[in-house]
Amino acid sequence: MNHNEDGALRFPQGFRWGTATAAHQVEGYNTNNQWWAWEQQPGRIANGDTSGAACDWWHNAERDFDYMVQLCQNAHRLSVEWSRIEPQEGRFDTAALERYRALLKALRERDIEPMVTLHHFTNPLWLEEQRAWLKADRIATLFRRYVHRVVAALGDLCDLWCTVNEPNVYAVMSYFGARMPPGWTDMGAAITVMQNLLLAHAVAYEALHEAQPSARVGLAHHMRYFQGLRRNGLDGLAARMISGIFNDSVLLALLHGRWHWILWRGAPVSARKLRGTLDWIGLNYYTRQRIAFDHTGGQALFSTLAITPGAITSDYDFGEIYPEGMSHLLRQLARYRLPIFITENGLPDHDDDLRPMFIVRHLRALWEMIQLGCDVRGYYHWSLVDNFEWSEGWRMRFGLIEMDPRTQQRTLRQSAWLYRDISRDNAITEATIRLHVPELVSQVFPR
Ligand code: IFM
């Protein structure tokens, strides 16, 4: 066990402590993508919010990079915005690539290792208008060319790449759940888009390795810990089916080279071509998801999403706080014997009354899994600073740092200091827990 004499829970040397963000959520005025257009339509975003200036990173991300230093972070996951880099089909904007170079340099100067995500929910308008994610050959060609340009421009500053963020969330929410543009409710389209996202991942994997032999390429996979709501066979069965589709289909394709039954029909290539295209696995973990069987059809496939009765949930019932779910999923991922990053983990909690407990309990669980042999290399908290939360607009506050989008004023939340202390010590110490969350001392350090 990685304890010190003082009983501190130590993380492996070189462990990455960071935060994660996405271009559209922080940069501001990304007017050339499908999300900007969607935000202008009445009724799409809670409270009629728009991303607007977001966190003003396009002009001044460096202000928040300085906070990362103050908070002892040594890693940051950010994304690059395709609609800035290729504003028109085939026309690449060198000024935009220069700005990304400046951002990566600014991180490096601060000893913060960047992880760059290439696709995080947004598409250039021209690409969206072509419905390119529904066309395998088209998207493979376009994504390959875009990735080649990005790695050519940024490859000397970054070798840790995340191809696609949450392919399952993007496919389902955009093409079936109608919560993201184009707002469809077409299960067939969602399946096609999911297949094509996995194909695009594999294409990017190849392109990145061609251009940069040292590249370390992975994908950020959103997994929920699915469980039946009631102790009856049918809820359990429904939970297993949904878990197979939402969680396992990605792993099945990229690690086993097999299409899940739901993705098999009409697949653009043999899944064998996708096999072996992960150098590491990224886990975005937020919550446990209960599933209730519904013989009338439910939300989909005879299943309805539910929350454990009486569970502690974060703002707007975003999700139940359940760190044990992350441990279960890590146990599953560890079987693949690849390095793992927690590429996202966090909660919306405006008044920060739950976040300190959330962080400590998840990091305690993570530490335990590392002791059991899980090769977890880093943890990226979602997020550094309050940012534009898609269809929830500005009402869901995920930041360690509070940010008022009207004034850009930042205020560090208590949990920022807690996370700072853990990152600084590369350990959870009793002193840190006593200082920030004394009520958890006996849970974190049972005698
Ligand atoms: O804000 C999002 C992020 O863009 C993708 N993963 C989940 C986060 C919180 O909902």
Side-chain angles (χ1 to χ4, degrees), residues 24-71:
H24 190 72
Q25 295 178 269
V26 293
E27 284 180 358
Y29 300 109
N30 269 320
T31 56
N32 194 27
N33 69 29
Q34 94 282 25
W35 259 97
W36 184 273
W38 178 256
E39 289 161 30
Q40 314 313 312
Q41 299 173 17
R44 295 300 193 192
I45 314 291
N47 304 323
D49 289 348
T50 58
S51 55
C55 308
D56 200 30
W57 273 32
W58 193 246
H59 298 114
N60 191 10
E62 289 82 348
R63 159 181 42 192
D64 285 333
F65 294 177
D66 287 339
Y67 281 117
M68 294 176 194
V69 175
Q70 200 182 340
L71 297 176

Side-chain angles (χ1 to χ4, degrees), residues 123 127-140 142 170-171 174-176 182 184 186-197 199 266 268:
N123 301 313
L127 185 132
E128 188 75 0
E129 277 155 16
Q130 294 179 19
R131 295 277 174 251
W133 281 108
L134 288 159
K135 301 170 189 158
D137 290 347
R138 188 97 197 97
I139 197 65
L142 293 171
Y170 176 71
S174 305
Y175 287 88
F176 180 64
W184 290 12
D186 178 339
M187 171 93 82
I191 289 172
T192 303
V193 169
M194 180 73 178
Q195 293 163 336
N196 291 341
L197 285 159
L199 172 67

